[in-house]
Each structure stands twice: as structure tokens, then as C-alpha cells.
Amino acid sequence: MLPGWLCRGCRSRARWHYVPARVLSWSPRQISRWNKQESTDPPPPENPRVLITGGLGQLGVGLAQLLRKQYGTDNVILSDIKKPPVEVFNSGPFVYADVLDYKNLRELIVNNRITWLVHYSALLSAVGEANVALARKINITGLHNVLDLALENCLRLFVPSTIGAFGPSSPRDPAPDLCVQRPRTIYGVSKVHGELMGEYLHHKYGLDFRCLRYPGVISADTKPGGGTTDYAVQIFHDALSTGHFDCYLRADTRLPMMHIRDCHRATVEFMQAQDRQLSLRTYNIAAMSFTPAEVADEIRKHLPGLSVTYNPDFVRQTIADSWPMRFDDTNAQRDWGWKPAYGLSELVVDMLESIREQRTKAGLPVS
């Protein structure tokens, strides 16, 4: 390992620090600002410079919009390996970034003076089980690249975790922040690995690592992406398009859920929290918990003709049965003031209004 330097604020936690064994380089363009004439005036406080990996998934675009409103459009860079839609490309900075390409990521961080890194790149639960080798590369090797770069560049690093980080031996109703975690999916295993690696690097070297365990996240703006909780998004689309939904989970399968706006707000508030407020590096966050039958009943208050059939898929049902039914987020409430805005009734009203508007604009029929 190459000898390195301690991040500011890390000296009280670690006596020495190393930079991961990667090739270092210098560019004159990166140091030209030191040639400017010095001023005796104190520098103004700088907004964070944010890079979001996996930005074209369910969460990245909305989080970028929220951060850009607070910190300026040019200070938030969205990235992915896919070509962005025109509206995303035109809304603010977008770059190609493959989390498996360490050199490319390093150049992006250095050249754009990144200070906050939001690492959303991952293969989700059901998709990961269908391609374990790829999930291992993206979810673990990609994570290691991000951890090394965050440590080397003294970044504030956010890595989301999930209800999938728990397993059948974990307390399920509710699941606390600290308990036995023995997940049985590669997605869950990789998330527990991320939680523990981040905490280890925080305690040993002072890395500003932050992690939230997300419930199932519900949004009208993105299509389901292969997660076990995605039924709770698809049911709204089907209710308004055909009036019928075929559910791949049992009617009584209870899981914790959250509106995407609450998810984005929790992430921003957590990233803005002072380090001294945090008693943990990984927190549960909660909003509501429901079953497929309960969300269907709530939708029927607005669309009485909705019909639902239940044909449990073995893989997804097995995954769901190993996950918590509710989250205990007492520590998040106490430490940094977390409080959700959406319950089940508010979520249903918002989802139906949003999807109905989308379908009307697209000239599609509404059931």
C-alpha cells in the first residue's frame, strides 16, 4: 500500500491512513488555481459537489432534481452507463460512469472536485438472483471502487441499503437497526457487506460513510426495476390501464414501503446532518407497512372496479418471506429528526393522480 494522508476530521479516529494501491497521477489543469493571486478575504462557504452513480435507476433523477434546487444545477452530476432520455440530459450535467472502471471514476471525482458521492449503482433482488455473477461484480466490486475513492478523496459517501439486508433469522416485526442479519439473496449479502465495510472504514480511518436502509420505494415516474416490492408500483399502472392486476406475492405479504418523495427527502436530510448528530452509520427509515390486499382495498376507494388475482412467484415470495414486515426507525427519528409525510392513503391518492396525468398526456386510455 502507498502511504497517504488523513482526511480533515479523521485524525481523531485514526493514527495513520493509507491510499488504496492505485496509480496516482497529477495534471497541471488540476493545480492551476494555486497560481491565482491570494486574497486575505475568507472564502465563501462552498456548496457540495455531488456525483450520483446509477443515476438512471428509480432514485437518481429525482434525487438530482432535489439537490440541484438546493445547491445549483451544475453542482450535481448524474451518471450511468446508459444513454439518458432527452429531458434528463437537458436538465443538468450527465456523464458516463461505470462503477467497475476505477480510473474513469477517479478522473470524474478529481476533475469535477466532487465532495459528496451517492452510490446508487446496484442489481436489485430478483434480478440479482437471476444473474449472481453480475450482481457480485456490480454490487461488491463496484462498491469497493467507490469506497477506495471516497477514502482517498475524503468524500462524504452515501450508499443505500435495503430491507433485503435482513434474513429469516432477523426480527421481522419490527426489525431494529442492530440485530442478526443473515440475508439469503446476493443483493442482501452485498448490502450487508457494504454496511460493514463502510462502518469499518469510518471507525478505522474516519471515512464519512452514511447508509440508510430503504423500504420498498414507490414512484409513478419510473418503471419497476426488478425488485421484490415492485408490485406496489405496478398495481397502480394496471389499475388505471386494464382494471386488473396479477400479483406475484400472497395477499397477506406485509412489507415496509415509502413514497419516493419521502425517500429523497430522508436521503438529503441525512446527508446534511452534522456528524455529531449520528450515533450510527446505518439507519432504518420507515413510513408505512402494508400487504397487497390492503393497498388494493385502498385503491378500490377510488377505482371500485379493480380486480386482483394472486399467483405467488416462488423466488419473489421466498425473498419477501425472509424480509421484515416493519422497520423500527426510532434512532433516525431521535438522531436527525426523520419523519415521513406520506401514509398509505396519501400515497394512493398521489400515485393515481400522477399516473392518470401521465396516461392522459400520452393519449392512453384510463380505466
Side-chain angles (χ1 to χ4, degrees):
M1 297 293 181
L2 295 173
W5 57 88
L6 279 173
C7 301
R8 181 162 32 188
C10 299
R11 295 179 177 85
S12 62
R13 297 193 187 98
R15 298 176 65 183
W16 60 275
H17 174 56
Y18 69 88
V19 175
R22 314 279 187 170
V23 177
L24 303 180
S25 63
W26 289 92
S27 166
R29 289 174 295 176
Q30 298 165 14
I31 59 175
S32 61
R33 67 188 181 91
W34 296 111
N35 296 326
K36 295 179 180 179
Q37 187 173 356
E38 293 186 7
S39 170
T40 57
D41 296 331
E46 289 192 19
N47 286 327
R49 297 273 299 168
V50 187
L51 175 65
I52 303 173
T53 68
L56 296 183
Q58 183 188 22
L59 301 175
V61 173
L63 181 67
Q65 290 172 346
L66 187 58
L67 289 169
R68 285 167 177 166
K69 287 179 181 178
Q70 295 197 32
Y71 299 124
T73 299
D74 291 340
N75 285 323
V76 181
I77 301 172
L78 207 58
S79 73
D80 210 304
I81 60 172
K82 300 178 291 185
K83 185 169 78 170
V86 172
E87 63 273 14
V88 173
F89 185 77
N90 291 333
S91 66
F94 181 92
V95 296
Y96 172 90
D98 182 352
V99 296
L100 298 178
D101 187 341
Y102 181 91
K103 184 175 183 294
N104 170 241
L105 275 181
R106 193 165 187 267
E107 289 175 348
L108 287 173
I109 289 169
V110 171
N111 291 344
N112 292 285
R113 300 184 301 109
I114 298 301
T115 56
W116 288 10
L117 179 54
V118 177
H119 180 54
Y120 275 154
S121 293
L123 248 60
L124 302 183
S125 56
V127 175
E129 290 307 287
N131 196 336
V132 172
L134 181 60
R136 189 172 63 237
K137 283 181 66 176
I138 294 174
N139 294 7
I140 296 179
T141 305
L143 169 74
H144 286 186
N145 285 340
V146 166
L147 288 169
D148 286 353
L149 286 164
L151 190 61
E152 176 186 331
N153 293 281
C154 300
L155 307 182
R156 178 167 295 181
L157 173 62
F158 177 81
V159 179
S161 189
T162 166
I163 52 176
F166 297 94
S169 57
S170 305
R172 296 188 68 214
D173 194 14
D177 285 315
L178 302 174
C179 66
V180 172
Q181 292 175 258
R182 290 292 184 272
R184 293 187 178 177
T185 65
I186 186 61
Y187 179 58
V189 169
S190 68
K191 287 302 183 181
V192 173
H193 177 77
E195 292 177 13
L196 295 177
M197 281 299 301
E199 291 183 18
Y200 168 77
L201 293 173
H202 168 74
H203 291 298
K204 190 168 182 68
Y205 300 117
L207 174 66
D208 190 354
F209 172 81
R210 303 181 183 214
C211 178
L212 293 177
R213 294 193 189 110
Y214 289 156
V217 178
I218 302 174
S219 167
D221 296 325
T222 52
K223 295 180 180 179
T228 300
T229 58
D230 280 349
Y231 86 86
V233 176
Q234 191 65 52
I235 190 172
F236 292 98
H237 290 276
D238 291 358
L240 286 166
S241 61
T242 67
H244 175 76
F245 177 62
D246 187 43
C247 186
Y248 53 73
L249 297 180
R250 290 192 317 270
D252 63 348
T253 306
R254 182 173 300 280
L255 292 168
M257 302 285 186
M258 175 175 283
H259 192 288
I260 193 167
R261 291 195 193 99
D262 274 342
C263 179
H264 289 327
R265 183 170 56 82
T267 303
V268 173
E269 290 176 1
F270 183 48
M271 286 293 280
Q272 291 172 336
Q274 297 297 311
D275 190 72
R276 63 178 179 272
Q277 295 177 253
L278 308 180
S279 63
L280 302 169
R281 307 316 297 187
T282 299
Y283 289 86
N284 295 339
I285 50 170
M288 68 194 87
S289 180
F290 57 75
T291 68
E294 289 171 350
V295 69
D297 287 343
E298 190 68 30
I299 293 172
R300 288 191 187 101
K301 294 178 181 178
H302 308 272
L303 298 172
L306 173 65
S307 63
V308 180
T309 54
Y310 297 94
N311 295 297
D313 171 76
F314 176 77
V315 172
R316 293 191 182 191
Q317 187 65 59
T318 301
I319 292 171
D321 288 342
S322 73
W323 285 356
M325 293 186 282
R326 291 182 178 85
F327 266 165
D328 178 357
D329 64 350
T330 305
N331 290 319
Q333 295 178 38
R334 181 198 65 216
D335 288 359
W336 46 279
W338 165 242
K339 184 178 180 181
Y342 287 82
L344 178 56
S345 59
E346 293 87 0
L347 179 143
V348 167
V349 169
D350 182 81
M351 286 291 289
L352 291 176
E353 288 180 352
S354 298
I355 296 173
R356 183 179 285 111
E357 181 180 353
Q358 291 172 8
R359 293 185 65 83
T360 301
K361 285 182 178 179
L364 299 173
V366 177
S367 174

